Amino acid sequence: MSMTLLKGAPAARALQDKLSSRIQACGKEICLAVIRVGDNPDDCSYERSILKKCEQLGIMARTVTLDAACTPKQLKTEVANLNEDVTVHGVIVMRPLPKHLEEVRIEELVSPCKDVDAMHPQNLAAAFLGENGFAPCTAEAVMQLLEHAEVTLKGKHAVVIGRSPVVGRPLAMLLLQRDATVTVCHSKTENLKELCKQADILVCAAGQAKMVDASYIKPGAVVMDVGIHVDAGGQLCGDVDRDAVGEKASLLTPVPGGVGTVTGWILMEHVVRAAEEQA
Ligand code: NAD
């Protein structure tokens, strides 16, 4: 069987085009606020990629940078101000926060209607209940890619490796809403390989570099690789050993250039939706 790479760029472009039309139709200046505490290089790089996307779409970005040693009160005040500000439609706080701010319970502070990063329990509950809300961006990115590739989910067996609150769990719920039959596997799952081998759609979000090889794959399966790692040679790779599964899978998302390419655009979709829904 020949395997096709399911690249993220076409789905991302399609999403970007739709967003441009929606932004025009929205008829107001849309604004995303980004709060960063300290100058962790990963946070700074993520912030730059968000700002670039905002610029591409014509969304205003407001950055709030707090000192790494800021107090819980300072952080809370900044979030409260942005929650109140009617010219700001979405708020994202770079995480994880420094240890001394853990008490803040940041996920409950951003107003659910501005919580474009889908941290608030109300948004997670909506994703679990199939109600309107913001689902975690990575989980939605996987769904967007499946939809763009017109993969049939109804009645199919989807196996998700990983049960984290930001990826595996919400993704299992989104797949369930699309009428897939879902199995969620995790680090304590027995017979992981046997379960994976039954999957029509296999989502790999274990955070273990190149863990999934051909012995996990049902012939013809669609394999969605969520993992992001740097291998021994300094190259980016996923949870899937791409060379090893090539013969068996029908579709495979590459790393880099797969799920991660779509995730940032889902965040932008959330910002636009937040603006549309805010009077
Ligand atoms: P996590 O560490 O919070 O969760 C990993 C999950 O995998 C856990 O539920 C754990 O039980 C399970 N697991 C770990 N080892 C396993 C094993 N050997 N067998 C079966 N299950 C196992 O990680 P996360 O935040 O969910 O992220 C998962 C991966 O996705 C990471 O590589 C992360 O870098 C990547 N990620 C990618 C994107 C993206 O946009 N592409 C976004 C977020 C995270």
Side-chain angles (χ1 to χ4, degrees), residues 118-146:
M119 302 188 289
H120 197 285
Q122 192 172 311
N123 277 318
L124 292 180
F128 275 60
L129 296 170
E131 292 172 353
N132 191 32
F134 300 115
C137 297
T138 308
E140 269 196 45
V142 171
M143 298 305 290
Q144 185 78 32
L145 266 168
L146 288 167

Side-chain angles (χ1 to χ4, degrees), residues 138 161-164 166-167 186-187 192 205-208 211 226-229 239 259-260 263:
T138 308
I161 315 177
R163 59 175 167 181
S164 77
V166 284
V167 186
H186 48 81
S187 53
L192 177 68
Q208 305 289 331
M211 173 187 127
V226 181
I228 305 176
H229 316 274
D239 280 8
V259 176
T263 304

